[in-house]
Amino acid sequence: IHGSPIAINFPHGSHDNERFWYWRGRSGKKYIHSIYAADACPPLPGAVYVAVRRIGQLRTVTAMGRFSPFWDGTSSELADVDADEIHVHLLARDDVAANAVLDDLQESRQTVSLAA
């Protein structure tokens, strides 16, 4: 799976360019994700997530999926995930669209893994 930071020039000192990331699916479509610290991700039931281990500027995907529709932030859905950041895609209009985004991202990840 390939990703890139958002390419918008935010006002100097705002750090908003560190809050968003694009992940590209196998289809070539880019999906914007909001970035949260792994220990500070709010409850976002049903959202698509990409768990990321960050080393300097390099971001490596360690897991991806969808949050439970009943997740209230108190359960530990990501307790066993080795990640510094949780990237969350919030723009899917319904379950069908969210599953399509996740499938596209997972297919991209498999392709990269097989090519490596």
Side-chain angles (χ1 to χ4, degrees), residues 34-75:
S34 298
I35 300 173
Y36 298 94
D39 61 351
C41 187
L44 299 164
V48 174
Y49 70 84
V50 177
V52 174
R53 168 59 69 195
R54 186 171 179 176
I55 302 171
Q57 295 300 316
L58 176 68
R59 286 178 163 98
T60 303
V61 175
T62 59
M64 64 176 66
R66 289 189 62 201
F67 290 118
S68 162
F70 306 106
W71 186 49
D72 62 3
T74 59
S75 65

Side-chain angles (χ1 to χ4, degrees), residues 4 6 16-23 31-38 40-42 44 47-52 59 67 84-91:
S4 61
I6 192 167
D16 284 336
N17 58 336
E18 298 172 7
R19 292 185 49 223
F20 304 102
W21 192 265
Y22 281 114
W23 288 105
Y31 304 98
I32 192 167
H33 288 68
S34 298
I35 300 173
Y36 298 94
C41 187
L44 299 164
V48 174
Y49 70 84
V50 177
V52 174
R59 286 178 163 98
F67 290 118
D84 301 310
E85 299 174 340
I86 305 300
H87 296 203
V88 183
H89 179 70
L90 300 169
L91 299 179

Side-chain angles (χ1 to χ4, degrees), residues 98-115:
N99 286 333
V101 169
L102 180 59
D103 289 345
D104 195 21
L105 292 173
Q106 286 176 327
E107 287 177 12
S108 176
R109 184 175 185 196
Q110 290 171 356
T111 300
V112 171
S113 297
L114 292 174

